[in-house]
Amino acid sequence: NAGVTQTPKFQVLKTGQSMTLQCAQDMNHEYMSWYRQDPGMGLRLIHYSVGAGITDQGEVPNGYNVSRSTTEDFPLRLLSAAPSQTSVYFCASSSLPGGSYGYTFGSGTRLTVV
Amino acid sequence: AQSVTQLDSQVPVFEEAPVELRCNYSSSVSVYLFWYVQYPNQGLQLLLKYLSGSTLVESINGFEAEFNKSQTSFHLRKPSVHISDTAEYFCAVSVGGGSNYKLTFGKGTLLTVNP
C-alpha cells in the first residue's frame, strides 16, 4: 500500500549512542518532514525538506541531522542520544509544500533514551 | 511566526451529544488550516482542511469546521458523537510561500466519548 513507512517502530538507546530513524515514501512526494510528539506539547517540527538535496531546520533541530539524497527517503539521525530525546517521532510527506492535499504521516517510532 | 492554540486539552462527552473542539491561530498572512485525528498508537490522519472558498468544510464522518477570519478561529464540531470518535484531535496551520511552508500544530485535544 502506498504511504509513509517508518522503521523501527520501537527503539531503546543508551545515552550517547547514535542511531538513524528511517522514513520512506512511495508517493513521489517532494515535501517531507520530521516531527516529535511529546505529551501536552503537540507535534513539533524538527527538520523538513522541499526536495532531494534541500533540507532546512524546524522548531527543534538541535541534536538531530537529516539528509535527502533521494525523493523517497528522509532519514533522521541522532548523533549522541540524550534522555530529552525520548519521544515519539513521526515522518510526514506531501505532494505540495503547503500541504493543500494534506500530509501523509507514518505510524511513528517510539524512542526511549535511558 | 504562526502559532496554534487549542483551548481545551481534554473534552469528555457522552455518546450522541454534540461536541465542539476549539482552535485559534495567529498569522499575519493567508493560511491553510487543517484538523488531524490520532487514534491510540497510530499516526495522524487528515480529517478536514480549509484552503480557500467556502468557510464551512466537512469530513466524511460527520465532522465540520468553520473558518472565521475575523476571529482567527477554526473550530471543529460534530452534532452527535460516537464511541469510535474517541481520539486526540490536532489543529494545524500551514503558512509560507513558494516552496517554503511549515506546518505548525496545536497541542491537541483529547476527545473521550463515554457511553
Side-chain angles (χ1 to χ4, degrees):
Chain A
N1 291 334
V4 178
T5 302
Q6 290 185 239
T7 55
K9 293 189 181 302
F10 302 93
Q11 183 70 49
V12 179
L13 288 179
K14 293 182 178 179
T15 297
Q17 285 185 318
S18 63
M19 80 160 295
T20 299
L21 280 63
Q22 301 292 344
C23 175
Q25 54 91 8
D26 57 4
M27 298 170 286
N28 202 33
H29 285 175
E30 289 293 329
Y31 193 83
M32 297 184 74
S33 54
W34 276 101
Y35 291 86
R36 59 176 291 172
Q37 182 180 25
D38 302 291
M41 299 295 292
L43 280 81
R44 292 180 291 171
L45 182 64
I46 305 171
H47 286 286
Y48 65 101
S49 169
V50 300
I54 306 171
T55 64
D56 204 349
Q57 296 181 352
E59 180 184 357
V60 288
N62 293 339
Y64 307 96
N65 280 350
V66 293
S67 61
R68 184 93 180 272
S69 57
T70 66
T71 300
E72 294 78 18
D73 299 302
F74 190 44
L76 178 71
R77 297 182 185 86
L78 283 72
L79 299 179
S80 179
S84 61
Q85 294 178 304
T86 293
S87 186
V88 181
Y89 292 84
F90 288 100
C91 179
S93 73
S94 172
S95 57
L96 296 174
S100 52
Y101 292 155
Y103 290 79
T104 301
F105 282 80
S107 57
T109 294
R110 188 175 295 272
L111 176 67
T112 302
V113 183
V114 298
Chain B
Q2 67 272 20
S3 66
V4 180
T5 301
Q6 292 185 242
L7 298 165
D8 305 294
S9 59
Q10 299 186 50
V11 174
V13 296
F14 288 109
E15 193 173 19
E16 298 184 3
V19 70
E20 178 180 80
L21 307 184
R22 296 178 291 171
C23 173
N24 287 90
Y25 69 94
S26 65
S27 174
S28 59
V29 298
S30 296
V31 300
Y32 297 148
L33 294 161
F34 305 85
W35 276 99
Y36 281 83
V37 59
Q38 184 180 33
Y39 298 102
N41 298 314
Q42 294 186 26
L44 277 72
Q45 302 173 29
L46 179 65
L47 188 60
L48 45 75
K49 61 186 178 183
Y50 171 78
L51 306 180
S52 63
S54 173
T55 57
L56 184 66
V57 291
E58 299 177 354
S59 72
I60 59 174
N61 56 355
F63 283 94
E64 64 179 30
E66 185 164 17
F67 170 58
N68 188 318
K69 187 175 182 179
S70 63
Q71 297 185 7
T72 59
S73 68
F74 191 55
H75 300 333
L76 181 70
R77 303 182 182 96
K78 189 170 186 180
S80 177
V81 294
H82 303 289
I83 297 286
S84 59
D85 292 323
T86 294
E88 190 155 23
Y89 293 78
F90 292 93
C91 182
V93 58
S94 179
V95 176
S99 63
N100 191 358
Y101 280 82
K102 292 182 181 179
L103 185 67
T104 301
F105 286 87
K107 295 184 178 181
T109 298
L110 179 61
L111 173 65
T112 303
V113 181
N114 298 302

